[in-house]
Amino acid sequence: MDSPTLFPEPNRPQPPDTQLEDLHQRLTAAYGPFPPREVWDPLTQLIYSLLSARTKTAESHAVLRNLRDRYDGWQGNWDKLRDAPVEEIEQAIAGATYPEVKAPQLKATLQEITRRSGKLSLDFLTRYKTEKIRSWLEQFPGVGVKTSGAVVNFSSLRRRALCIDSHHQRIAIRLGLAPKSADARRVEELLMAIAPAEWSPEKLDEHHSLIKLHGQQRCTAREPQCRRCTLQPVCPTGGGDGHLGLSTAR
Ligand code: SF4
């Protein structure tokens, strides 16, 4: 008679992780599918991401529109913005938070990109692998993992990545998908490790947008509205069972 199997076979295929798919379906049911974003070239996305830190989305878009009008940036050519005096840029981005910090940072970044690549464009990044693009971008002041994730995922580069902003970081931790101590880089590593392999860059973008909206409308930093939250049954912070995943959730 065969002895009972005490240990699982080492190479046995594991079932796919369905936590993010479950999360995505619940948020889509609550908020509807997210409209596709307007995709920009990577340099315009970088400029927007630098300006939008701690600034509301509508105000960030207004600032970018103003810059495009003022410096002929509608075709992704930002030479006039790079060459403008810092004081003038500061005034042009006054609708964003901390313009006095962002203006010199922006000008220095545009100058440095020009110096390193011979012209003010990030189109050459299409030849690089995703990790190389991100480390190249993260050498510039003010560019961290959130901004590099936004550039590679949201722009015409369209690579697989998750932009972990403060909403995404907070919600991943509250849902038990990341430990409390996890910074944005660690949260992205943990989430990408369980993101379905078939999710396209566009789907990862939509997932980020749904989580961000949930963070703005329901799971806010100061007063999460757990009683009215569509994720409450599976959220340990809200008193749910903590069992995200399609096989156990319904
Ligand atoms: S149940 Fe509460 S903590 Fe959990 S996701 Fe919803 S609002 Fe956030």
Side-chain angles (χ1 to χ4, degrees):
M1 195 169 115
D2 290 341
S3 57
T5 304
L6 294 178
F7 301 104
E9 296 163 42
N11 295 326
R12 199 170 183 170
Q14 296 295 311
D17 194 308
T18 56
Q19 292 180 94
L20 293 198
E21 186 61 54
D22 185 19
L23 178 55
H24 196 91
Q25 289 186 17
R26 288 172 187 269
L27 291 176
T28 302
Y31 299 113
F34 223 82
R37 76 170 62 241
E38 181 189 340
V39 176
W40 300 322
D41 65 276
L43 182 59
T44 301
Q45 181 64 53
L46 176 64
I47 291 169
Y48 175 83
S49 296
L50 287 170
L51 292 171
S52 66
R54 297 182 183 275
T55 304
K56 291 188 174 153
T57 304
E59 287 157 12
S60 302
H61 277 270
V63 170
L64 184 72
R65 269 196 307 277
N66 184 38
L67 288 182
R68 282 173 144 175
D69 286 341
R70 192 162 179 165
Y71 298 111
D72 293 336
W74 286 98
Q75 302 305 319
N77 183 336
W78 291 102
D79 289 12
K80 288 183 182 173
L81 173 62
R82 175 199 60 202
D83 298 338
V86 172
E87 301 73 27
E88 187 185 300
I89 298 173
E90 184 179 332
Q91 192 248 323
I93 64 169
T97 55
Y98 308 114
E100 71 287 358
V101 175
K102 292 176 179 176
Q105 207 170 59
L106 186 56
K107 184 175 173 79
T109 296
L110 297 182
Q111 287 176 319
E112 189 60 12
I113 290 171
T114 309
R115 192 184 70 77
R116 287 174 189 244
S117 52
K119 63 177 181 176
L120 184 52
S121 169
L122 291 180
D123 292 348
F124 71 95
L125 292 176
T126 54
R127 301 194 302 271
Y128 289 2
K129 291 190 171 162
T130 305
E131 283 316 305
K132 187 172 177 186
I133 297 173
R134 296 189 67 168
S135 57
W136 195 88
L137 291 169
E138 287 175 27
Q139 65 190 317
F140 297 110
V143 181
V145 66
K146 181 188 94 170
T147 298
S148 75
V151 173
V152 296
N153 183 239
F154 301 165
S155 81
S156 54
L157 292 168
R158 278 301 198 193
R159 303 297 178 88
R160 286 186 96 244
L162 272 171
C163 170
I164 305 298
D165 63 7
S166 59
H167 296 296
H168 213 138
Q169 184 175 357
R170 178 177 70 253
I171 291 171
I173 290 170
R174 285 177 175 171
L175 287 171
L177 294 170
K180 284 185 180 160
S181 59
D183 60 12
R185 191 178 301 277
R186 184 68 185 135
V187 171
E188 186 183 359
E189 285 169 1
L190 291 168
L191 296 184
M192 286 301 291
I194 59 171
E198 67 275 13
W199 276 18
S200 64
E202 289 80 3
K203 176 108 181 209
L204 289 162
D205 179 357
E206 184 189 37
H207 187 72
H208 162 77
S209 298
L210 285 165
I211 298 261
K212 181 176 177 179
L213 183 63
H214 188 60
Q216 290 167 334
Q217 297 199 352
R218 193 71 76 222
C219 191
T220 58
R222 292 196 181 170
E223 285 187 83
Q225 299 163 32
C226 300
R227 287 194 193 162
R228 298 171 59 209
C229 176
T230 191
L231 302 179
Q232 188 280 331
V234 292
C235 177
T237 306
D241 61 15
H243 290 157
L244 259 177
L246 293 178
S247 57
T248 56
R250 297 190 171 92

